[in-house]
Amino acid sequence: MPRAALLVSTALLAALMPLSAARAADDPSPTPVDRFEGEVPFAAQPAEGIFTWGGDSDDPPQLQFADRADAPEGAKVLAGTYDISGYGGFTHDFAAAEPAHDWSAHKGIRFWWDGQDNGRKTAFEIKDGGADGEASELWTTSFTDDFTGWKQIEIPFTDFVYRTDYQPVGGIDHVLGLTRMWGYAVTLPVGVQGRFAMDDVELYGKADQSLRASVTTDAAVYPVREGGTASVKVTVATTGSAPLDEPVTVGYETAGGTADSGKDYTPVSGTLTFPAGTASGAAQTIKVPTLKDRSAESAETVPLKLTVTGAKAPAETPQVVIDAHGLPYLNSKLPVKKRVADLLSRMSPEEKAGQMTQAERGAVGTGGDVTAYDLGSLLSGGGSTPTPNTAAAWARMIDSFQLRAQATRFQIPLIYGVDAVHGHNNLAGATIMPHNIGIGATRDPRLAEQAGAVTASEVRATGVPWDFAPCLCVTRDERWGRSYESFGEDPALVKSMETVIQGLQGRADGRDLKDNDKVLATAKHFVGDGGTAYGSSTTGSYTIDQGVTTVTRQQLEAIHLAPYQTAVDRGIGTVMPSYSSLDIVGDGQGPVKMHARADMINGVLKDRMGFKGFVISDWNAIDQLPGDYASHVSTSVNAGVDMMMVPYSYQDFTATLIDQVKAGQVSERRIDDAVSRILTQKFELGLFEHPYADTSNAARIGSAKHRAVARQAAAESQVLLKNSGSVLPLKKSQKVYVAGSNADDLGNQTGGWTITWQGQSGTHTTGTTILQGMRNAGGDVTYSQDASAPTSGYDVGVVVVGETPYAEGVGDVGNGNDLALSAADQAAVDKVCAAMKCAVLIVSGRPQLIGDRLGEIDALVASWLPGTEGDGVADVLYGRKAFTGQLPVTWPKSEAQLPINVGDASYDPQYPYGWGLTTLTKAPQGGTATLKALGAAARAAERRGADATGRDLVTRARLLVQAKVGQSVTAAVSKPFADADHLLLTGRYAAAVEKLAEAYRAA
């Protein structure tokens, strides 16, 4: 049959109905949704029918229409098996070409389930409103498989709640309308092999007004100063905004809580009535007066109990909160240290444990657990965004969570964190900077600071005071999927780019953290994350990410630890340990996960380096430690981790931490140290005085001024590797043929960690592609992505190729990725470059192997991942600005060379670290004599401390050497050339020129 959901006659249905489905006399006939007798096809998303899905290739269940003699209805059932490690289930999307289904006449939905008595919960979800099944609101509930054999599961529509952890589109109206339904989905249990069978999905019962009407309050928490009056707004609303059919009454009374009736507040009680015919959205107000008793005290609660008839009651009892007052920690004039000590002295073990806990915002729903568990922090993981994904919605969401914190005893504000690693990258419409590898290519510390400042401004304007950035990893093997998060392979380069910390936080003493355009920064991932050995990872299918870094003590200090001392000196507020393990040769410990290395976190970071901020774990990182969960908690806390990112297991963490303290496995002194560090940063951020979002800078998000910084960064990040015949810069008079997969793809251009964790191809935010930038520059451009259009009649071709987005270990080489161009990209390069002079731009998070095509390519550009501002790339292509970028990592000839880095004893790359041709500037004339003179001048500049002069002299020497070398890049040239750039970054200008002279003689 053509329809995915059959609508059969009442008479036929009555004949088919099992006896157990007998209905009340006044109920409408049940309406079948799925009978699984062949009317529903299996399909691939997003086609009509049933399709499976899962977290990875093994997670989707296996489904079939199975003949069952015991089928509750008909001959067949939907049967399946599953073994899910991440998440998995199946969906039935109704036909988008047909009208949406109207379920509003019914009480709920029911189906038969073949129970296995496994005690696990199975989530059941329905799709409401929107254009189709994949653009609708998701409403969810669950049932427990605690029975054996067939059982009819009945779910009233009143049991469904709006999903807050994930909405594919959402934001339609947040009301379960039931008049435009597009299907349902089943999410199966995780961590157990199982089977199931399902039959006869149908609608049942008669809808009543309590389904269509609901009573809500405008907030869950109402803070009020002592002596003030709280106003609780009570609203009645109906599906479809129809007037009430019947009266709705709301009885109310103040009862319970921690405040004393008559002493702290005046008790109130009564009834609100919304008569029949009342318009949807009508509201009345209940006022709760509080009283002054003039004594200093913590916050006190006054629950306002509501009893509703004729409509669905609010999900929870609203709380009036009389603000804490008169206590020393609330006095902003006291030194932070005294405020911390006073607050800490008042806190219970449970409150301290809560401060050390960070949950994912999707896990806490509307935020009730923020209060219940005294949570100290929430985060948005990559792609965890409000609906709609706007700056205003971010601010509203975070303010709603902060409001929950106001219902705790001491009203300690939350600190909310996000991974804004190249701009506010979770927010649609934000300014997206080049990833760090591109910032490293600019060699411009001032620009790095400006990029950090733009990011901080946009992040703070959405109510977020904490950024999990910058990544101070020193990438040593470009097979690593996080390579692009690094500024480069040389610790000296990473250190030079740490000006970004001042852009994010302001001055090193923390005095600017209260400002509405600054955020707390995070140095990550401590320590050695960029040095893991290929093949050492034990995380899923990862090959190198989260693996083992094996180094001598000297290598550890010189390469991986060096950037952290700089970060501490710059006042970094938080540090995040790495998932990876550290194996220090000769220390006798072997590989130890960084979250367990007390010698590094307590010993080196906190004691030796003098880090005064707090340490935040990575996402569920403690779960990778050996032993049981109790040992995970005690080991990591004792190692020096102050706050634990336990996104969905925060309840287990807080309970276990308290138990471990009681058992003597974690000392109270250690807990107090951790909580003091966390509270200190909250006070420094000014959150106690201003917990809510300051959106006064919201208009600057994605502004022309901010995008100008990103545009400059994109331009300066472009590294010109080859330019035979001066193909670049292009001239506006030239007819240009543009091709390649990444010429007009904003998602590929911005890479991973953009809107979602892994990023995605296509247009997902606001920005300008490289192709659009070229057109904006006034170029005469013709575009053919696959180069299928005729190639005759053009002056020059520009082929933009490279990678598609990925993040973390998902991007590891060997995990479905390599360093070669795709077949389509290779074909586009071959066709265009055979037909005309050509420039090839590689948009990627790491070098791509291009050596076999270098002969046919006239100009080659490493474009990295330039962000949303393709105009910046066009600026250098068309000569509005010069190419000035330099390689932040070594460009290898083959994958077999990896790892290959500046300073290696054997060093023969395609292009050395520091390589970067220029345009619009002629290289200095002369040879060894000129280099000798530049060296002498550099030595004098070094003695005078004239750093700008010294850098300029080395740059002139580098350009002179590159002009002689051309494309004859040999090992004898490469090694001293790369060493020279390292020496430049360490302020040894004369030695750098000497190395360049050595490269010149070898050319």
Side-chain angles (χ1 to χ4, degrees):
M1 290 195 153
R3 289 294 300 274
L6 294 177
L7 301 178
V8 299
S9 71
T10 302
L12 175 59
L13 183 66
L16 294 174
M17 278 176 57
L19 293 176
S20 61
R23 60 187 176 87
D26 60 344
D27 281 356
S29 298
T31 300
V33 177
D34 283 332
R35 295 170 61 216
F36 308 118
E37 299 301 311
E39 79 280 8
V40 186
F42 289 117
Q45 186 183 16
E48 165 193 349
I50 296 175
F51 58 88
T52 61
W53 37 266
D56 57 39
S57 60
D58 297 328
D59 282 351
Q62 302 298 310
L63 302 182
Q64 62 173 320
F65 294 128
D67 287 308
R68 286 278 292 264
D70 64 342
E73 192 284 322
K76 296 181 183 292
V77 300
L78 178 67
T81 59
Y82 59 91
D83 184 5
I84 302 168
S85 58
Y87 62 90
F90 62 91
T91 293
H92 181 184
D93 269 1
F94 300 156
E98 301 288 345
H101 299 190
D102 186 346
W103 292 358
S104 61
H106 290 275
K107 178 180 181 179
I109 188 167
R110 66 188 179 193
F111 49 87
W112 289 89
W113 190 265
D114 186 14
Q116 306 301 309
D117 199 18
N118 57 26
R120 298 299 187 99
K121 286 187 179 296
T122 295
F124 190 85
E125 184 174 274
I126 55 178
K127 301 185 169 194
D128 176 61
D132 53 49
E134 296 310 293
S136 58
E137 287 185 345
L138 304 182
W139 292 76
T140 187
T141 187
S142 66
F143 63 93
T144 302
D145 187 341
D146 56 2
F147 54 92
T148 301
W150 288 107
K151 177 180 178 181
Q152 193 171 47
I153 307 295
E154 290 193 344
I155 306 176
F157 290 128
T158 50
D159 284 0
F160 286 90
V161 296
Y162 183 82
R163 277 192 67 172
T164 57
D165 58 329
Y166 171 72
Q167 287 286 342
V169 176
I172 299 165
D173 57 11
H174 291 203
V175 173
L176 181 55
L178 297 173
T179 58
R180 290 181 56 81
M181 303 304 296
W182 290 109
Y184 64 88
V186 175
T187 302
L188 294 162
V190 174
V192 59
Q193 291 185 358
R195 63 183 177 87
F196 75 93
M198 181 181 189
D199 199 14
D200 191 23
V201 184
E202 66 180 12
L203 309 177
Y204 76 94
K206 178 185 178 181
D208 57 27
Q209 180 169 284
S210 64
L211 172 63
R212 298 191 303 273
S214 60
V215 168
T216 60
T217 58
D218 55 330
V221 178
Y222 296 83
V224 60
R225 290 185 179 182
E226 186 188 42
T229 298
S231 296
V232 180
K233 184 179 178 182
V234 179
T235 302
V236 65
T238 61
T239 300
S241 299
L244 292 180
D245 294 332
E246 303 167 9
V248 171
T249 61
V250 181
Y252 62 89
E253 64 173 325
T254 49
T258 58
D260 292 331
S261 176
K263 175 186 175 185
D264 297 313
Y265 69 95
T266 301
V268 297
S269 62
T271 301
L272 306 178
T273 301
F274 296 91
T278 298
S280 178
Q284 298 185 48
T285 300
I286 303 169
K287 293 189 177 294
V288 181
T290 68
L291 305 171
K292 282 194 174 184
D293 60 12
R294 298 188 178 181
S295 61
E297 54 192 348
S298 57
E300 297 171 308
T301 58
V302 185
L304 182 63
K305 183 180 178 181
L306 303 179
T307 304
V308 179
T309 57
K312 188 176 181 180
E316 58 186 303
T317 298
Q319 302 272 328
V320 174
V321 179
I322 304 170
D323 287 340
H325 53 276
L327 299 173
Y329 77 89
L330 295 169
N331 184 354
S332 61
K333 295 180 180 179
L334 288 178
V336 167
K337 190 173 182 178
K338 287 188 176 182
R339 298 179 74 183
V340 169
D342 176 68
L343 179 52
L344 188 69
S345 71
R346 300 174 185 279
M347 295 171 67
S348 69
E350 291 75 16
E351 288 164 331
K352 292 176 183 178
Q355 286 303 302
M356 295 175 66
T357 307
Q358 183 181 64
E360 218 287 331
R361 65 107 201 171
V364 299
T366 57
D369 276 1
V370 171
T371 307
Y373 291 89
D374 293 289
L375 295 180
S377 181
L378 294 179
L379 83 151
S380 280
S384 177
T385 65
T387 304
N389 187 3
T390 63
W394 274 89
R396 286 194 302 270
M397 175 186 72
I398 294 167
D399 281 355
S400 72
F401 291 135
Q402 288 287 17
L403 189 61
R404 296 290 189 161
Q406 294 299 300
T408 61
R409 191 161 63 122
F410 297 115
Q411 299 182 302
I412 303 173
L414 290 166
I415 180 169
Y416 199 100
V418 297
D419 286 280
V421 299
H422 63 139
H424 197 355
N425 44 254
N426 283 315
L427 171 64
T431 307
I432 304 300
M433 300 289 168
H435 269 294
N436 281 354
I437 198 166
I439 299 294
T442 69
R443 297 300 200 279
D444 190 340
R446 178 175 294 180
L447 183 57
E449 182 173 351
Q450 290 175 333
V454 168
T455 300
S457 174
E458 298 198 2
V459 168
R460 195 71 182 255
T462 59
V464 179
W466 185 14
D467 185 3
F468 305 133
C471 186
L472 301 184
C473 48
V474 182
T475 178
R476 305 294 283 179
D477 189 331
E478 275 57 63
R479 290 172 290 190
W480 187 35
R482 300 193 84 140
S483 294
Y484 63 78
E485 293 189 55
S486 172
F487 292 114
E489 70 186 35
D490 182 355
L493 175 57
V494 175
K495 289 169 66 176
S496 73
M497 293 293 113
E498 290 186 56
T499 49
V500 68
I501 295 171
Q502 263 56 66
L504 293 167
Q505 290 195 167
R507 285 169 286 189
D509 61 7
R511 72 177 75 175
D512 299 326
L513 284 172
K514 290 185 175 67
D515 294 352
N516 65 3
D517 61 352
K518 290 291 177 273
V519 293
L520 197 68
T522 307
K524 64 183 189 183
H525 305 90
F526 185 83
V527 60
D529 52 341
T532 52
Y534 189 79
S536 67
S537 181
T538 57
T539 300
S541 57
Y542 295 3
T543 57
I544 184 169
D545 187 38
Q546 304 185 22
V548 180
T549 299
T550 303
V551 286
T552 64
R553 180 70 65 176
Q554 181 180 11
Q555 289 169 330
L556 175 64
E557 295 283 347
I559 297 172
H560 300 291
L561 272 173
Y564 286 92
Q565 184 63 68
T566 301
V568 171
D569 293 342
R570 287 185 172 275
I572 195 78
T574 62
V575 171
M576 181 183 291
S578 176
Y579 281 118
S580 57
S581 300
L582 180 63
D583 185 359
I584 304 175
V585 176
D587 76 351
Q589 296 189 62
V592 179
K593 284 284 186 181
M594 275 306 308
H595 282 75
R597 291 213 66 138
D599 60 329
M600 300 304 300
I601 300 174
N602 285 329
V604 174
L605 178 65
K606 291 182 175 179
D607 294 342
R608 193 188 83 189
M609 292 185 176
F611 173 61
K612 300 302 182 187
F614 69 88
V615 175
I616 170 70
S617 87
D618 210 332
W619 179 283
N620 276 338
I622 65 171
D623 290 349
Q624 297 187 8
L625 301 183
D628 60 15
Y629 192 69
S631 66
H632 296 172
V633 172
S634 59
T635 298
S636 54
V637 172
N638 287 332
V641 183
D642 302 304
M643 181 184 286
M644 221 61 67
M645 189 187 293
V646 279
Y648 295 95
S649 56
Y650 57 91
Q651 298 175 11
D652 291 340
F653 171 75
T654 54
T656 304
L657 178 58
I658 292 165
D659 288 345
Q660 289 296 96
V661 174
K662 290 178 180 176
Q665 298 301 308
V666 178
S667 71
E668 292 185 13
R669 181 179 179 184
R670 170 69 195 103
I671 297 297
D672 286 352
D673 172 60
V675 177
S676 294
R677 289 170 177 270
I678 294 162
L679 293 177
T680 295
Q681 297 303 327
K682 290 185 176 185
F683 280 119
E684 294 283 2
L685 284 161
L687 294 177
F688 280 83
E689 287 71 45
H690 303 288
Y692 302 115
D694 181 343
T695 60
S696 56
N697 287 332
R700 300 180 185 178
I701 296 172
S703 65
K705 184 176 181 180
H706 283 184
R707 290 184 184 276
V709 175
R711 178 174 180 167
Q712 182 182 352
E716 291 190 24
S717 72
Q718 303 298 293
V719 180
L720 184 58
L721 300 172
K722 180 181 180 180
N723 195 23
S724 298
S726 297
V727 169
L728 295 177
L730 303 171
K731 300 177 180 64
K732 292 181 183 178
S733 60
Q734 290 176 310
K735 292 189 67 179
V736 182
Y737 186 101
V738 179
S741 61
N742 286 350
D744 195 32
D745 194 304
L746 193 64
N748 291 354
Q749 184 177 304
T750 52
W753 287 110
T754 310
I755 307 303
T756 60
W757 174 40
Q758 291 293 317
Q760 64 187 67
S761 299
T763 302
H764 54 13
T765 189
T766 304
T768 305
T769 65
I770 293 171
L771 174 67
Q772 291 168 329
M774 294 176 69
R775 287 173 172 161
N776 293 345
D780 183 356
V781 171
T782 297
Y783 173 58
S784 174
Q785 177 176 320
D786 60 358
S788 59
T791 55
S792 59
Y794 292 93
D795 299 306
V796 63
V798 174
V799 191
V800 189
V801 295
E803 295 185 306
T804 54
Y806 55 80
E808 300 191 41
V810 176
D812 285 354
V813 167
N815 188 22
N817 298 276
D818 56 37
L819 298 180
L821 298 180
S822 69
D825 278 349
Q826 291 178 26
V829 170
D830 292 345
K831 183 173 182 180
V832 175
C833 292
M836 64 193 83
K837 290 182 179 180
C838 73
V840 172
L841 276 63
I842 299 180
V843 174
S844 64
R846 53 197 168 192
Q848 303 290 283
L849 303 176
I850 197 74
D852 59 341
R853 284 175 166 75
L854 267 178
E856 62 188 78
I857 295 171
D858 298 293
L860 180 64
V861 179
S863 285
W864 310 114
L865 298 169
T868 51
E869 307 313 300
D871 286 325
V873 180
D875 285 340
V876 292
L877 289 179
Y878 275 96
R880 182 174 178 269
K881 292 184 177 181
F883 277 94
T884 57
Q886 295 176 249
L887 283 181
V889 293
T890 300
W891 198 284
K893 291 180 178 177
S894 70
E895 192 176 314
Q897 286 186 313
L898 297 172
I900 182 171
N901 294 288
V902 57
D904 288 353
S906 177
Y907 190 73
D908 185 19
Q910 193 81 64
Y911 294 103
Y913 169 78
W915 185 267
L917 307 177
T918 192
T919 51
L920 311 182
T921 301
K922 290 186 177 180
Q925 299 298 307
T928 54
T930 301
L931 287 168
K932 185 176 182 180
L934 289 171
R939 193 170 294 107
E942 200 174 321
R943 284 197 301 267
R944 298 195 311 271
D947 292 330
T949 300
R951 288 192 293 268
D952 178 65
L953 292 164
V954 176
T955 297
R956 291 165 60 189
R958 178 175 61 82
L959 296 178
L960 190 157
V961 172
Q962 287 180 157
K964 183 182 181 185
V965 172
Q967 292 296 296
S968 300
V969 183
T970 64
V973 168
S974 293
K975 184 167 176 52
F977 186 95
D979 289 343
D981 201 62
H982 172 73
L983 291 166
L984 164 65
L985 288 164
T986 56
R988 296 148 70 187
Y989 309 121
V993 174
E994 289 175 10
K995 283 291 182 182
L996 287 168
E998 182 182 338
Y1000 184 90
R1001 292 190 296 271

